[in-house]
């Protein structure tokens, strides 16, 4: 009798694990379907796991996180510099997303180059001076 109970317990655990794996595999997280709190947490976790040393394409990141909340871009010396901001925390309950509530991701020619404050600093450092464009 004890063996039969143990067997049913193991079968139940196996079915649970299989169902969990199927759900995780075929139903990925969709930030567009999340409420704002879940989306912030999802964005923060995803961005925290990014490794600038490994190649991350802009298309992949947008497919996982959705459209950025704020975007800036410029072209300089045949390279495209894009700064994408994703909301990761809330500072004021005013209904407006600002850059200080987001984490910045710098893409150079659609390749991840920097994250966070480093991304903003590099973006501004590489940006051509507006007076020299004239």
């Amino acid at each position: 009798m004890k063996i039969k109970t143990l067997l049913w317990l193991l079968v139940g655990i196996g079915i649970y694990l299989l169902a969990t794996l199927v759900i995780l595999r075929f139903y990925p997280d969709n930030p567009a379907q999340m409420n704002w709190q879940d989306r912030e947490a999802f964005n923060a976790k995803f961005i925290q796991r990014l490794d600038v040393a490994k190649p991350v394409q802009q298309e992949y990141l947008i497919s996982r996180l959705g459209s950025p909340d704020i975007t800036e871009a410029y072209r300089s010396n045949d390279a495209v510099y894009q700064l994408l901001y994703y909301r990761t925390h809330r500072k004021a309950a005013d209904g407006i997303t600002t850059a200080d509530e987001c984490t910045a991701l710098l893409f150079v020619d659609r390749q991840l180059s920097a994250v966070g404050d480093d991304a903003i600093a590099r973006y501004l450092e590489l940006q051509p001076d507006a007076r020299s464009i004239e």
Side-chain angles (χ1 to χ4, degrees):
M1 188 68 167
K2 290 181 183 181
I3 294 175
K4 193 173 185 180
T5 304
L6 182 61
L7 182 62
W8 278 110
L9 180 64
L10 291 175
V11 167
I13 291 171
I15 290 172
Y16 174 78
L17 291 174
L18 181 64
T20 301
L21 290 173
V22 167
I23 289 169
L24 291 174
R25 172 72 172 112
F26 294 107
Y27 297 99
D29 290 324
N30 182 357
Q33 302 292 324
M34 297 177 188
N35 66 38
W36 65 269
Q37 293 136 328
D38 291 339
R39 183 169 184 214
E40 280 181 1
F42 178 78
N43 288 349
K45 271 187 180 178
F46 188 88
I47 291 169
Q48 184 179 19
R49 286 187 266 146
L50 289 175
D51 184 1
V52 179
K54 295 180 182 176
V56 177
Q57 296 293 322
Q58 185 177 359
E59 293 82 18
Y60 167 74
L61 192 123
I62 290 174
S63 74
R64 294 294 293 140
L65 295 179
S67 296
D69 294 291
I70 303 170
T71 306
E72 296 179 30
Y74 64 85
R75 179 184 296 271
S76 176
N77 299 331
D78 294 328
V80 176
Y81 299 88
Q82 293 179 295
L83 197 58
L84 307 182
Y85 290 90
Y86 284 93
R87 187 167 166 168
T88 54
H89 54 283
R90 183 172 84 161
K91 291 202 175 203
D94 57 4
I96 300 170
T97 299
T98 57
D100 65 337
E101 297 176 319
C102 299
T103 300
L105 303 170
L106 176 62
F107 288 88
V108 179
D109 290 331
R110 302 199 181 273
Q111 184 75 29
L112 183 64
S113 178
V115 177
D117 292 335
D118 185 40
I120 297 169
R122 288 193 53 206
Y123 180 81
L124 294 173
E125 173 186 310
L126 297 169
Q127 191 170 20
D129 188 12
R131 294 176 300 248
S132 66
I133 295 176
E134 296 176 23

